[in-house]
């Protein structure tokens, strides 16, 4: 999946919701040629200096186009008050 306007480095070490899924960012990753094998397109050169994010899936759920990433800490704080 691709996201726009999300500083991925801020998600490393934090839990967040993406759609109905609860994720934890575990580390940044640089794009590799594997994406070219998957898509069949020469896209790696366009992704230089862009990173991805490794995530641990803590709770599965449906993620739809247009779903926003939301901090799990903020959501839990609102539920507790």
């Amino acid at each position: 999946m691709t996201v726009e306007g999300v500083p991925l480095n801020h998600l490393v070490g934090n839990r967040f919701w993406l759609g109905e899924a609860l994720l934890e960012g575990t580390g940044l990753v640089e794009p590799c040629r594997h994406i070219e094998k998957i898509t069949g397109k020469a896209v790696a050169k366009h992704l230089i200096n862009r990173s991805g994010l490794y995530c641990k899936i803590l709770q599965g759920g449906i993620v739809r186009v247009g779903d926003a990433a939301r901090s799990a800490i903020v959501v839990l704080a609102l539920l507790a008050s």
Side-chain angles (χ1 to χ4, degrees):
M1 95 184 46
T2 55
V3 295
E4 183 177 333
V6 177
L8 299 180
N9 54 322
H10 294 176
L11 298 176
V12 175
N14 291 300
R15 293 178 177 195
F16 60 97
W17 293 93
L18 188 57
E20 298 173 6
L22 178 59
L23 308 172
E24 181 177 349
T26 59
L28 296 175
V29 60
E30 289 296 319
C32 64
R33 299 266 178 212
H34 179 69
I35 194 167
E36 292 184 344
K37 292 176 188 173
I38 294 170
T39 63
K41 299 178 182 179
V43 296
K45 65 182 176 187
H46 301 288
L47 299 175
I48 293 173
N49 296 320
R50 296 180 186 233
S51 62
L53 184 68
Y54 286 118
C55 291
K56 182 187 301 183
I57 300 170
L58 303 175
Q59 177 182 314
I62 297 170
V63 178
R64 294 177 177 87
V65 173
D67 281 347
R70 306 174 322 278
S71 170
I73 296 168
V74 172
V75 173
L76 292 175
L78 290 173
L79 292 174
S81 52

